[in-house]
Amino acid sequence: MVVAGHPPPPGFAAQANVGPEVYAEAAADPFAFWAEQAGRLRWDRPWDTVFGDAQWPTARWFGGGRLNVAVNCVDRHVDAGHGDRVAMHWEGEPGDRRTVTYAQLQDDVCRLAHGLTELGIGAGDRVVLYLPVLVQTVVATMACARIGAVVSLVFGGFSADALRFRVADTGAKLLIASDGQFRRGRAVGVKAAADEAVAGLDHVEHVLVVRRTGETDVPWTPGRDVWWHELLAGQSTQHEAASFDAEHPLFIVYTSGTTGRPKGLVHTTGGYLTHASWTHWAVFDLKPDDVYWCQADLAWVTAHTYVLYGPLSNGATQVVYEGSPLTPHPGRHFEVIERYRVSTYYTAPTLVRTFMKHGPELPAGHDLSSLRLLGSVGEAINPEAWRWLHEHVGGGRCPVVDTWWQSETGAAVVAPLPGVTTTKPGSATVPLPGMSATVVDDAGVETPPGVEGNLVITAPWPGMARTVWGDHDRFVSSYWAPYAAQGWYLAGDSASRDEDGYIWIGGRIDDVLNISGHRLSSIELESALVSHPRVAEAAVVGAPDDVTGQRIVAFVITRDAPGADDTGLAAELRAHVAARVGAVAKPREVVVVTDLPKTRSGKIMRRLVADLTAGRAGGDTTSLTDPAALGVVQRAWTAHVEARPGGG
Ligand code: PRX
């Protein structure tokens, strides 16, 4: 395949933070390279060793070093005389706005640090955040880091059940929630869901509540519940920050794996911050006068690294937007770019495809001349969407950085450097300096150009997750066991490399779905479905979708009597999954079947079902107990497609 490349515009290359020589420098001595990047941070005690692997695959970076993440992300900039620099242009979904400088952020972080201490939170304690994208959410992450508390952010769209799992799994002492949140223009209460999530969990000592929507009759448990504004009132803005070991845990981010139980990936302090900070500076070519905007919700890993820890450690000025990109109109993002003169816009392919549906008039109606760099993350960006973003949003002048990484990797791994790398629409290009990744077959042999294999990372990197919270064996077996002999990390994505060594990411090799850039596990969704009284068995697959990349299709065998009326079942199951997991996990389509293809050991062969929904020719069916089951599913799917509005 010959793909026309986009070299960096000469003007961009001339001013870029990072030049081409860095690849060779980093390759010559990756540890020295990362040590140099760690030097961009403020350390209270220098490290003794850059890297240690005595507990491999748990790595130890910057052993012996001590630092404070909040000091690096906030105080350092104030001390350098940038207290008046805007840290955040925050905008709420209803249109309310707040500008927060680094000095103001420091005041709030210090006040909350005192408040948290007053609530009995100390180093190593877990704090779960169930909050919208608010200034307070940023303050809370920084205040936790300041006192060494380990934070875990849970997406506000997740259900009480999903929240409860995370609160219980972390053994959190504190939950920070809001009275309510805005969802596509509507204020909805969330405190009741927060209460339900913590009911009976004795380790939760307090629920700290941020007033956001001004709900009346917020359910309240005296003694346990505390208002944020009351806790902060009267607290001092002076706070002595302790320093923490480079391997002190910083946050736990939950992600879907191949079982029904989400994995809590643990990220630590010195290595993670080094990786987050350098890649943010290099990949987004951050300049002091940039207005940077990463549109991800703070609870996703994207925002941990490229809204919270990366940009703040670099003293960036960012836009932080609370709401839906389509509320109150589909041009909201372009309006925001115009209002704040955004220079760097980091977005997701699914959103680009949504904008594309509205046509180029949507961005054309706004002054987007401030943009100089565009970014994409979450799934492979199809070349059409890449070109549309490049042309209609970036006016053809802005490099596009397609960044491949994962919750596990902590920060970007395969991505272009915007002033150096020639980009090819649809490829995340090549591993960043200091990173080693390639594509291999099951035996660990590099695949020839154009041949799909497994994406692996072949050398340790500072942002790598250190373990799965409470389940180290799972960390080892999920990522490290398949290539234990080589000591490589298995990413779980298929990929190929072209003649130029560019990496093209395919799909997941496991039962993980990617819906609008969100990772969901087939098995987790199937467990939610079979917990409904009418469902006996379920197979959940991702069918290709023009906008969301994949869409969830659930095939269910019901407990209903043969020939029973299925009307309303789909709606019932969608609501059930939303309540168990969250609205993001609702199946788009529900197809009732009488059988599912299974192996002799009883495992449902989702891949064959997924092939049907994608219109691919059937794969190997020799291991099926009853090959006729596939025909049953095929007929049900065909009938379902024909019955859809517009038929097929
Ligand atoms: O399949 C890959 C896809 O998203 C997965 C990671 O999901 P998560 O841990 O939720 O992190 C998402 C944001 C970092 C990967 O295994 N993915 C992410 N970015 C890309 C991508 N696939 C292709 N190209 C990308 N740029």
Side-chain angles (χ1 to χ4, degrees):
M1 179 171 48
V2 179
V3 181
H6 292 253
F12 194 102
Q15 58 81 65
N17 286 349
V18 182
E21 65 291 347
V22 178
Y23 285 103
E25 275 168 31
D29 189 345
F31 294 131
F33 168 78
W34 285 118
E36 188 187 330
Q37 307 323 326
R40 299 176 65 251
L41 305 175
R42 182 194 287 180
W43 293 79
D44 302 321
R45 184 189 186 281
W47 56 88
D48 303 317
T49 45
V50 175
F51 173 71
D53 64 354
Q55 301 296 316
W56 191 255
T58 296
R60 186 161 184 245
W61 281 85
F62 308 114
R66 295 183 74 83
L67 71 168
N68 186 294
V69 168
V71 167
N72 272 282
C73 290
V74 185
D75 302 45
R76 195 160 58 110
H77 312 309
V78 178
D79 296 347
H82 304 307
D84 292 338
R85 184 185 289 171
V86 173
M88 279 176 274
H89 295 288
W90 177 84
E91 182 161 318
E93 191 180 89
D96 44 340
R97 296 176 206 161
R98 236 180 110 182
T99 298
V100 181
T101 65
Y102 274 95
Q104 289 166 336
L105 184 60
Q106 184 183 38
D107 285 355
D108 273 3
V109 170
C110 288
R111 290 185 327 142
L112 183 61
H114 286 298
L116 293 176
T117 307
E118 208 173 287
L119 294 181
I121 306 299
D125 288 339
R126 275 81 61 206
V127 176
V128 170
L129 272 52
Y130 185 54
L131 290 169
V133 177
L134 303 176
V135 171
Q136 289 91 331
T137 318
V138 179
V139 169
T141 59
M142 290 298 134
C144 285
R146 196 170 181 100
I147 62 167
V150 185
V151 84
S152 189
L153 290 102
V154 178
F155 178 52
F158 277 166
S159 66
D161 276 2
L163 172 61
R164 184 181 182 81
F165 171 81
R166 287 152 176 81
V167 173
D169 195 56
T170 54
K173 233 170 153 176
L174 175 69
L175 172 67
I176 310 185
S178 58
D179 58 345
Q181 59 180 233
F182 292 100
R183 286 199 192 137
R184 298 195 177 136
R186 257 181 342 119
V188 289
V190 293
K191 175 62 168 45
D195 285 354
E196 194 185 325
V198 301
L201 299 179
D202 294 339
H203 49 83
V204 179
E205 294 176 4
H206 292 286
V207 177
L208 182 61
V209 188
V210 175
R211 185 176 280 155
R212 171 59 185 131
T213 49
E215 300 297 299
T216 49
D217 301 329
V218 176
W220 205 256
T221 304
R224 184 197 69 183
D225 296 351
V226 182
W227 280 112
W228 171 287
H229 54 269
E230 289 178 5
L231 181 70
L232 260 66
Q235 300 286 4
S236 166
T237 55
Q238 305 297 313
H239 180 270
E240 191 75 35
S243 49
F244 296 98
D245 190 273
E247 286 299 343
H248 186 75
L250 178 64
F251 65 86
I252 302 171
V253 62
Y254 281 84
T255 192
S256 295
T258 47
T259 73
R261 216 180 141 81
K263 294 183 269 207
L265 295 155
V266 179
H267 285 281
T268 59
T269 297
Y272 169 78
L273 195 64
T274 299
H275 190 188
S277 189
W278 184 77
T279 53
H280 176 256
W281 177 79
V283 174
F284 297 102
D285 191 50
L286 185 78
K287 298 289 193 286
D289 55 355
D290 270 333
V291 178
Y292 165 89
W293 184 19
C294 164
Q295 58 93 36
D297 189 282
L298 294 173
W300 305 124
V301 75
T302 303
H304 283 61
T305 305
Y306 296 118
V307 178
L308 297 169
Y309 306 104
L312 292 176
S313 70
N314 288 321
T317 294
Q318 341 184 37
V319 167
V320 177
Y321 169 59
E322 177 187 33
S324 148
L326 309 176
T327 304
H329 58 80
R332 181 74 186 257
H333 271 203
F334 302 115
E335 191 182 279
V336 169
I337 292 171
E338 180 172 2
R339 174 155 41 250
Y340 300 103
R341 307 284 304 152
V342 169
S343 57
T344 308
Y345 177 57
Y346 189 27
T347 187
T350 184
L351 194 54
V352 177
R353 292 190 295 261
T354 305
F355 293 147
M356 282 168 81
K357 288 201 147 182
H358 291 273
E361 311 76 76
L362 190 68
H366 297 273
D367 175 6
L368 306 180
S369 60
S370 55
L371 288 171
R372 66 179 198 94
L373 182 64
L374 299 165
S376 168
V377 66
E379 59 176 306
I381 182 164
N382 47 313
E384 299 71 29
W386 193 105
R387 292 200 183 90
W388 196 91
L389 178 69
H390 184 252
E391 185 178 335
H392 296 295
V393 180
R397 69 182 179 280
C398 306
V400 177
V401 288
D402 174 3
T403 59
W404 178 89
W405 59 291
Q406 309 174 295
S407 305
E408 292 84 347
T409 70
V413 175
V414 181
L417 288 174
V420 180
T421 319
T422 293
T423 51
K424 300 184 190 186
S427 168
T429 75
V430 295
L432 284 166
M435 300 293 318
S436 303
T438 189
V439 180
V440 297
D441 64 16
D442 290 343
V445 178
E446 273 194 341
T447 56
V451 177
E452 284 234 319
N454 301 323
L455 182 65
V456 289
I457 304 181
T458 56
W461 68 103
M464 62 201 290
R466 303 303 199 249
T467 189
V468 169
W469 182 262
D471 196 351
H472 191 66
D473 289 350
R474 196 172 172 201
F475 179 68
V476 177
S477 62
S478 307
Y479 307 112
W480 302 94
Y483 293 103
Q486 297 90 342
W488 294 345
Y489 166 83
L490 177 72
D493 282 354
S494 68
S496 63
R497 286 182 317 143
D498 66 16
E499 293 76 8
D500 299 324
Y502 277 47
I503 293 174
W504 297 76
I505 309 287
R508 295 285 306 187
I509 57 173
D510 50 18
D511 290 314
V512 170
L513 310 178
N514 189 327
I515 314 295
S516 298
H518 298 153
R519 253 166 91 165
L520 293 163
S521 135
S522 291
I523 298 172
E524 196 182 351
L525 303 187
E526 288 162 6
S527 322
L529 285 163
V530 297
S531 72
H532 187 278
R534 284 179 70 186
V535 178
E537 285 188 78
V540 168
V541 299
D545 186 86
D546 286 351
V547 174
T548 54
Q550 288 189 315
R551 67 184 193 282
I552 303 171
V553 182
F555 290 84
V556 297
I557 301 178
T558 66
R559 295 182 190 280
D560 300 347
D565 183 7
D566 296 335
T567 324
L569 179 68
E572 222 176 279
L573 295 185
R574 283 161 53 79
H576 181 72
V577 173
R580 291 296 303 263
V581 185
V584 282
K586 279 198 281 202
R588 185 94 63 84
E589 292 169 68
V590 176
V591 185
V592 177
V593 289
T594 52
D595 205 352
L596 285 165
K598 287 186 193 149
T599 61
R600 283 180 195 93
S601 59
K603 202 171 161 247
I604 296 173
M605 291 199 68
R606 292 184 197 84
R607 204 160 298 281
L608 294 174
V609 179
D611 284 347
L612 288 181
T613 62
R616 282 189 296 262
D620 181 16
T621 57
T622 49
S623 56
L624 290 182
T625 346
D626 177 12
L630 199 57
V632 169
V633 176
Q634 171 77 73
R635 283 190 292 281
W637 173 248
T638 309
H640 168 80
V641 169
E642 282 167 2
R644 270 198 306 230

